[in-house]
Amino acid sequence: MNALVTLASEGEAENPLIPPIPELVIGLIAFAIVFFFLSKKLLPNINKVLDERRAAIVGGMEKAEAAQAEAQQVLEDYRAQLADARHEAARLRQEAQEQGAALIAEMRAEGQRQREEIIAAGHAQIEADRKQAAATLRQDVGKLATDLAGKLVGEALQDADRQSRTIDRFLDELEEKAEAAR
């Protein structure tokens, strides 16, 4: 305990927490000089740089917001153009389908018309061939009948007009009998 009392008495004489007065005055003067230098020279430069940074940040944010608004507008315009293009494509597709259907109908009508023409030409050809075959058959039958009649009678029948009239009358009578039988 004696040691504690001795330390306490020495501590009253010289307190390590309180500096001597001359050091305190020199420290205050040095602090004032540094404070003055910092407040007049360094602090305005620091504030200027901070203000410039703040302005750059605010300007950058405004530019970013403007760019974002512009990008949003461009996106909306793009979407509108895309929707218009889709509507136009749908309209063109519908128009092409309608034209295709009209073309198909026109081709079918043309095909039907050509088919009718071919059928009519075929019927006309068949009728012409039938008439020609009938005329040829009539001549052949007439000639055969005349030859047969000449052989039966024993004389040749040379009068062509008379042969033709007789053959025509005979064949007409046959046709009338055939039609009556039907």
Side-chain angles (χ1 to χ4, degrees):
M1 253 217 214
N2 258 345
L4 285 176
V5 171
T6 309
L7 279 174
S9 65
E10 284 179 14
E12 287 178 9
E14 210 175 288
N15 189 352
L17 295 177
I18 298 176
I21 297 291
E23 284 182 19
L24 189 60
V25 170
I26 291 173
L28 282 175
I29 291 172
F31 178 75
I33 290 171
V34 169
F35 181 76
F36 178 76
F37 176 73
L38 286 178
S39 67
K40 294 298 178 183
K41 298 289 181 183
L42 194 59
L43 195 58
N45 287 339
I46 291 173
N47 284 337
K48 181 180 171 188
V49 169
L50 289 176
D51 288 341
E52 288 174 0
R53 278 188 152 181
R54 187 177 302 117
I57 290 171
V58 169
M61 288 175 61
E62 289 174 356
K63 287 179 184 176
E65 288 174 1
Q68 186 176 7
E70 184 179 345
Q72 185 67 29
Q73 182 62 36
V74 168
L75 179 63
E76 290 174 6
D77 291 345
Y78 171 74
R79 286 182 179 164
Q81 288 175 354
L82 185 60
D84 289 344
R86 285 182 179 155
H87 289 298
E88 182 68 16
R91 185 187 64 78
L92 290 174
R93 187 172 40 249
Q94 180 66 26
E95 193 174 290
Q97 287 175 347
E98 290 172 359
Q99 288 177 352
L103 186 60
I104 288 171
E106 183 179 317
M107 290 302 211
R108 282 185 181 160
E110 178 67 20
Q112 184 72 19
R113 184 188 62 77
Q114 288 177 355
R115 184 180 69 111
E116 295 297 327
E117 286 178 2
I118 290 170
I119 290 172
H123 286 308
Q125 183 65 36
I126 290 171
E127 184 63 28
D129 289 347
R130 187 187 66 75
K131 285 182 181 181
Q132 183 180 2
T136 304
L137 183 63
R138 190 177 273 245
Q139 287 174 355
D140 289 346
V141 167
K143 185 176 181 201
L144 289 174
T146 306
D147 290 344
L148 184 61
K151 287 181 184 180
L152 287 176
V153 174
E155 292 181 17
L157 302 174
Q158 297 298 326
D159 188 12
D161 290 333
R162 189 172 177 191
Q163 287 176 1
S164 179
R165 281 193 305 268
T166 305
I167 293 168
D168 287 341
R169 188 172 21 96
F170 176 72
L171 290 176
D172 289 339
E173 286 175 10
L174 284 177
E175 285 179 2
E176 288 176 6
K177 287 180 184 179
E179 286 181 13
R182 286 187 195 162

